[in-house]
Amino acid sequence: MPDYTLKIRRFDPESGRPAYWQEFGVDLPEERSVLDAILRAKDEQDGSLSIRCSCQAAICGSCGVRINGMSRLACNTKLSEAAEDGRNGAIVVEPMGNMPVIKDLIVDMDAVHWKKVQRVVPWLLPEGDPPAREYIVDPESMIDVTQSMACIHCGACVSACLSLEVDPEFIGPAALAKAYRFVGDPRDAHTEDRLLDLAEDPHGIYDCTHCFACVEVCPKDVAPMDQIMRLRRRATADYGIKDQNNGYGHEKAFTDLIEKYGTLSEAQLLPKSYGDGSLIRAQVKPAALKELGAKFPTVIRGLTSGKVSPKTALLHHKLQDQDQIRRIYEEVESKEDRLELNLYIVGESGGEEEGATSEGGQEE
Amino acid sequence: MKLAYWPGCVSRGFTPELHGAMAAVAPKLGLELVELDRANCCGAGVIAEHNQELVDALNARTFALAQKVDGAAGMMNICSTCQGAQSECQERLDADAAYRTHINEHLEPEGLEYEKGGAWWNKNFLWLLVEEIGLDVLRERVVRPLDGLRVGPFYGCYIVRPTRRLGFDFYPDRDRYLEQVIEACGAEPVAYAGSHKCCGFPVITLNRETSLRQAGRHMADALDAGADCVVTPCPLCHLNLDLQQPEAQPFVERDLGMPVLHLPQLVGLALGLDVKALGLHRHVVKTDAVQDKVAALAAAA
């Protein structure tokens, strides 16, 4: 039987000692899980070693930890696989990140994860009295929310989130994915209120840095970041919510500039983003002027370093075939519904058969 | 090797030194670059956020233009963000024939078509260096090994996550290539916490504090790890790490002064190119310390 070394980060607040590393040698077959190894070490070597776990089948979401720096379920990670990525021959196991540690590998999910989930009102708010029998919904309209329903609240995405690392107030990937589960539900009557709330919050949907860390670690393919992008799409395209965080302005400025020029003009992107997508509003809106003023030193540095010439800053050329780009915009944007291919439903190697496309959102 | 070359918007806008450096490095590596000057912006995640069909059509158009370049081995980009945004669209286009046909209808009036093909690829210069040129060939061409230069890698999110979309099943070391290239150039890779994290650029206009805290923290970590400079294959990371570095300093409450090199600049130095030709003087954070080290190498040799 192969011999594995676990290097576990230990911490017991009641001991008065700081956190420390401890190694455990465990003999188990390679197909067994890291959780099996931790429980074996607990059984045979140190009964005080603490981890939260239950189903051991990647369903309950209890045993989230960091293995070799990656947020994962311990029960869902094979020893052979973990040993391959290990450091100096040891499988490194730490508690999840972005949450306070209660003891050893147990983090305080209540203090961070559950508090944030509660923040997004994670229940259905239908209009009026419930129907006499069940709610009837068109199956197609549920395609997009299916993915966010798969969440098992393990906290792996919260642990890996790079925005949370610098802004603990960020609502975070798990809670925002949950928010989309209700925003995308046709039975919910408060879609716009929910979006307005999440768009205006400085730590809401526009505080996500689009780093894919949550997508990478989610054991259930919820792709929380994709759900956050769906929330942004709904907020801007369907409800035209002009938020104080420039989320609307940034998206509008960017897409408009590509429609006009084909490539990006960074010099125009900034002022337009602050002006809800408009250069004129950027010059008359007090908040926009303030933000542009704060950018002034950066602009000067760009110019004096020779990085940016006044010519590139002021003149941006259209692509030779810009009329083709405009035509594509026109063809796509004149449609009543947005066409989206949902790979969660199709599967990435969905082959050549027809896949699941959904028509997301309503034009208002 | 002939390549359809997508330089991206930023290398021709706010990081012109990157475009120049790539042009200078290409002939040294035997690359013939056919610039896709009719191609459009990749959308940088923002158009995808706005409308998926639109961004897929726009990138399918770029792929179709690249596929029409006669004799090209594939398509090369020099931006992690372009790589990620384009790979995302390619994943959808390749997954579903009906969807691909539909997207191609947008290209038909222009006489273009994106063809799904097993052999066709779109690779960042970093991937191309390791997988198509090869580290051995790179080592052979190095005329000025960057002995003693300590370089922190900075990848950019879009080129390392999600691994499943970005071909890690086939190329599992793609998150270690920068270290390998740094080594092949004779320099010393420096490990630090931020190498695979987010530079913060995508939220610089949405949440300045989150953005600059990220940029500042990573540069401070690189400094603490003893790096002389960091190197990145992503011009958007460069904007937040270099252009914004003076603004990021207050968020970590310290002076940073960490030079941030574009990947072709580092490779160019090892290939013996002049610092001016590589645009090292056109950075916000002065690259003097790097230039001095390189000059000292030349004097020693």
Side-chain angles (χ1 to χ4, degrees):
Chain A
M1 250 186 320
D3 189 2
Y4 293 101
T5 304
L6 298 176
K7 186 178 172 189
I8 299 180
R9 192 171 197 271
R10 307 286 312 266
F11 176 60
D12 179 1
E14 287 174 15
S15 72
R17 288 176 63 189
Y20 61 99
W21 293 95
Q22 190 175 1
E23 292 197 357
F24 297 92
V26 181
D27 281 345
L28 276 175
E30 60 173 27
E31 69 276 11
R32 297 290 290 276
S33 73
V34 172
L35 180 62
D36 288 333
I38 295 168
L39 294 178
R40 176 67 62 91
K42 182 181 170 73
D43 275 354
E44 296 178 352
Q45 297 172 53
D46 183 348
S48 73
L49 178 59
S50 303
I51 183 167
R52 196 187 273 129
C53 67
S54 178
C55 77
Q56 310 198 24
I59 294 166
C60 74
S62 300
C63 64
V65 290
R66 278 184 295 179
I67 301 170
N68 304 319
M70 285 287 286
S71 304
R72 322 190 45 154
L73 294 175
C75 72
N76 201 22
T77 308
K78 283 195 182 121
L79 279 167
S80 53
E81 192 192 329
E84 230 172 77
D85 299 332
R87 291 166 215 160
N88 303 325
I91 298 168
V92 181
V93 189
E94 298 164 83
M96 288 198 289
N98 292 327
M99 287 178 270
V101 177
I102 293 175
K103 186 168 184 259
D104 294 338
L105 300 173
I106 301 173
V107 296
D108 193 346
M109 295 280 285
D110 288 336
V112 181
H113 173 72
W114 291 112
K115 200 169 91 183
K116 289 177 184 298
V117 170
Q118 281 162 24
R119 159 72 184 80
V120 303
V121 194
W123 56 84
L124 198 69
L125 295 169
E127 191 78 90
D129 297 327
R133 299 181 62 184
E134 68 272 28
Y135 285 97
I136 309 279
V137 290
D138 173 12
E140 259 202 8
S141 67
M142 296 300 278
I143 284 180
D144 275 352
V145 291
T146 312
Q147 193 170 12
S148 58
M149 285 172 176
C151 176
I152 55 172
H153 294 280
C154 65
C157 61
V158 175
S159 164
C161 178
L162 296 177
S163 277
L164 270 175
E165 191 175 271
V166 294
D167 178 12
E169 289 182 76
F170 176 41
I171 296 176
L176 288 172
K178 188 52 71 188
Y180 186 71
R181 190 253 165 272
F182 295 101
V183 162
D185 192 315
R187 295 168 296 178
D188 198 89
H190 292 268
T191 310
E192 188 170 2
D193 302 333
R194 289 176 185 274
L195 288 168
L196 193 64
D197 173 36
L198 299 172
E200 288 289 6
D201 190 326
H203 312 286
I205 51 177
Y206 296 115
D207 198 12
C208 163
T209 65
H210 209 281
C211 72
F212 301 95
C214 57
V215 179
E216 182 66 21
V217 301
C218 177
K220 292 289 167 185
D221 275 342
V222 170
M225 191 195 91
D226 292 358
Q227 313 316 322
I228 297 172
M229 295 308 128
R230 287 190 166 115
L231 287 169
R232 289 187 183 179
R233 200 176 299 151
R234 286 289 181 101
T236 53
D238 293 346
Y239 292 95
I241 294 170
K242 293 176 180 161
D243 58 285
Q244 59 164 349
N245 302 305
N246 309 315
Y248 174 89
H250 181 65
E251 188 193 301
K252 178 155 175 49
F254 196 109
T255 45
D256 285 359
L257 281 169
I258 306 309
E259 183 176 16
K260 188 170 174 193
Y261 296 108
T263 56
L264 184 64
S265 159
E266 300 103 322
Q268 292 186 43
L269 179 64
L270 209 60
K272 283 191 175 194
S273 294
Y274 294 139
D276 299 331
S278 145
L279 264 184
I280 295 168
R281 272 189 62 72
Q283 293 169 50
V284 295
K285 192 175 133 188
L289 281 173
K290 194 174 151 228
E291 291 190 83
L292 273 176
K295 282 278 183 272
F296 195 66
T298 309
V299 173
I300 295 299
R301 273 184 217 110
L303 289 169
T304 52
S305 66
K307 205 173 181 29
V308 184
S309 74
K311 198 171 140 241
T312 37
L314 297 172
L315 293 174
H316 195 73
H317 292 289
K318 279 181 191 167
L319 275 189
Q320 208 178 315
D321 303 315
Q322 189 52 28
D323 49 337
Q324 298 291 342
I325 308 293
R326 238 179 256 129
R327 176 187 52 75
I328 293 173
Y329 264 75
E330 165 65 23
E331 284 173 12
V332 174
E333 307 228 275
S334 61
K335 287 181 183 173
E336 265 194 24
D337 296 309
R338 286 188 300 270
L339 178 75
E340 286 169 28
L341 179 75
N342 191 322
L343 287 182
Y344 179 74
I345 306 292
V346 181
E348 312 118 80
S349 54
E352 299 299 12
E353 72 275 15
E354 204 174 318
T357 48
S358 70
E359 287 162 350
Q362 64 276 39
E363 299 289 321
E364 289 198 331
Chain B
M1 188 188 305
K2 189 174 176 181
L3 295 163
Y5 171 45
W6 170 240
C9 302
V10 179
S11 81
R12 293 172 295 177
F14 277 16
T15 61
E17 69 279 2
L18 166 60
H19 194 255
M22 191 63 236
V25 163
K28 292 266 179 192
L29 293 170
L31 301 178
E32 183 195 341
L33 305 180
V34 182
E35 191 162 320
L36 298 170
D37 51 7
R38 292 166 62 201
N40 45 262
C41 170
C42 72
V46 183
I47 299 181
E49 170 189 323
H50 172 72
N51 189 310
Q52 201 191 76
E53 183 184 0
L54 180 60
V55 78
D56 287 351
L58 291 175
N59 280 316
R61 181 176 178 273
T62 302
F63 301 154
L65 288 167
Q67 288 177 335
K68 278 181 81 164
V69 175
D70 233 7
M75 171 173 152
M76 181 181 86
N77 65 75
I78 48 171
C79 173
S80 297
T81 305
C82 289
Q83 180 71 60
Q86 290 174 336
S87 291
E88 179 179 332
C89 295
Q90 199 188 347
E91 183 185 39
R92 282 191 291 264
L93 291 167
D94 288 352
D96 192 277
Y99 184 70
R100 185 165 61 250
T101 304
H102 171 78
I103 294 294
N104 269 326
E105 283 167 13
H106 292 303
L107 312 185
E108 204 267 318
E110 207 178 343
L112 293 172
E113 185 188 1
Y114 166 65
E115 284 178 66
K116 177 185 174 178
W120 186 80
W121 43 255
N122 168 30
K123 291 186 179 186
N124 183 280
F125 177 55
L126 175 64
W127 294 355
L128 187 104
L129 258 179
V130 179
E131 294 160 9
E132 303 298 326
I133 296 173
L135 291 168
D136 288 339
V137 173
L138 175 60
R139 269 185 220 108
E140 277 167 26
R141 304 212 173 180
V142 167
V143 296
R144 181 164 58 195
L146 305 174
D147 276 334
L149 188 69
R150 293 172 53 81
V151 186
F154 195 93
Y155 283 83
C157 302
Y158 277 85
I159 206 171
V160 286
R161 288 179 294 270
T163 49
R164 202 167 50 181
R165 175 186 295 155
L166 294 172
F168 278 67
D169 288 346
F170 200 71
Y171 297 106
D173 286 342
R174 280 183 168 177
D175 56 355
R176 282 170 244 177
Y177 283 180
L178 269 179
E179 286 86 339
Q180 293 170 7
V181 169
I182 291 167
E183 253 165 5
C185 290
E188 185 188 338
V190 175
Y192 67 104
S195 57
H196 294 69
K197 290 186 178 176
C198 181
C199 70
F201 183 77
V203 289
I204 186 70
T205 55
L206 308 177
N207 192 323
R208 193 164 175 271
E209 201 171 325
T210 293
S211 178
L212 294 179
R213 269 191 197 162
Q214 289 182 317
R217 184 181 285 207
H218 305 327
M219 292 306 90
D221 283 343
L223 194 64
D224 290 343
D228 296 315
C229 63
V230 298
V231 63
T232 181
C234 183
L236 303 189
C237 294
H238 194 271
L239 288 181
N240 232 38
L241 301 179
D242 175 65
L243 180 65
Q244 299 281 1
Q245 198 178 115
E247 299 290 317
Q249 288 181 153
F251 290 93
V252 285
E253 296 175 351
R254 59 192 285 192
D255 291 334
L256 294 167
M258 175 58 64
V260 183
L261 269 52
H262 298 285
L263 178 60
Q265 288 178 323
L266 182 81
V267 173
L269 285 175
L271 297 177
L273 288 163
D274 176 60
V275 289
K276 274 252 158 85
L278 295 170
L280 279 168
H281 56 298
R282 295 173 108 183
H283 288 212
V284 166
V285 179
K286 297 283 168 253
T287 59
D288 297 7
V290 177
Q291 293 190 36
D292 290 349
K293 273 211 171 181
V294 172
L297 286 172

